[in-house]
Amino acid sequence: MSDCLFCRIVAGDVPSSEVLSSATTYAFRDVNPGAPTHVLVVPREHIVDAAAITSDHRNVLTEMFQAAQQVAALEHLSERGYRLVFNVGPESGNSVPHLHLHVLGGRPMSWPPG
Ligand code: AMP
């Protein structure tokens, strides 16, 4: 979708700081990090958000979680722990309508989040 920011990042039309790339997913650093490591894992195909997921998306979801595991390993977070977040809808703060998995780590985190 030409008017979707993350589709434009995946296409290389908007610059990003790449962490990982595969045929199905792309991972890049969040421009406004909320933790020392803050990486976004997105599917290359346009999916609006987690509320739009169906059983047709099982492969892409598996690949997104595998990408998040790889990001955690690359960022030396596998042992110390990290947080995975999907924001859905306005009250969550979701701002970009293209499915993205936040990978956050590198500092202790409180629960529940603010
Ligand atoms: P969400 O609030 O869950 O929709 O997350 C969207 C995230 O995208 C926010 O954390 C933003 O900081 C991040 N973001 C917005 N524009 C860009 C960009 N051009 N490059 C990297 N991250 C971005």
Side-chain angles (χ1 to χ4, degrees):
M1 278 175 51
S2 59
D3 60 344
C4 168
L5 173 61
F6 288 174
C7 284
R8 295 181 69 210
I9 285 178
V10 165
D13 296 337
V14 171
S16 63
S17 177
E18 177 180 327
V19 177
L20 212 61
S21 180
S22 76
T24 308
T25 67
Y26 183 65
F28 56 100
R29 295 195 190 280
D30 196 294
V31 75
N32 184 23
T37 291
H38 189 170
V39 173
L40 304 173
V41 178
V42 304
R44 288 186 176 275
E45 72 174 282
H46 185 81
I47 301 169
V48 172
D49 62 16
I53 293 295
T54 70
S55 54
D56 290 342
H57 297 117
R58 57 171 67 89
N59 290 341
V60 71
L61 276 184
T62 298
E63 295 211 26
M64 286 179 71
F65 281 103
Q66 288 176 328
Q69 292 165 5
Q70 290 173 31
V71 168
L74 287 169
E75 298 287 311
H76 309 290
L77 298 174
S78 304
E79 300 302 321
R80 55 190 295 193
Y82 52 96
R83 183 167 289 169
L84 301 178
V85 175
F86 286 105
N87 288 324
V88 184
E91 288 200 350
S92 73
N94 182 224
S95 58
V96 180
H98 180 126
L99 184 68
H100 49 281
L101 179 56
H102 294 260
V103 183
L104 295 142
R107 63 166 170 79
M109 289 179 215
S110 59
W111 188 262

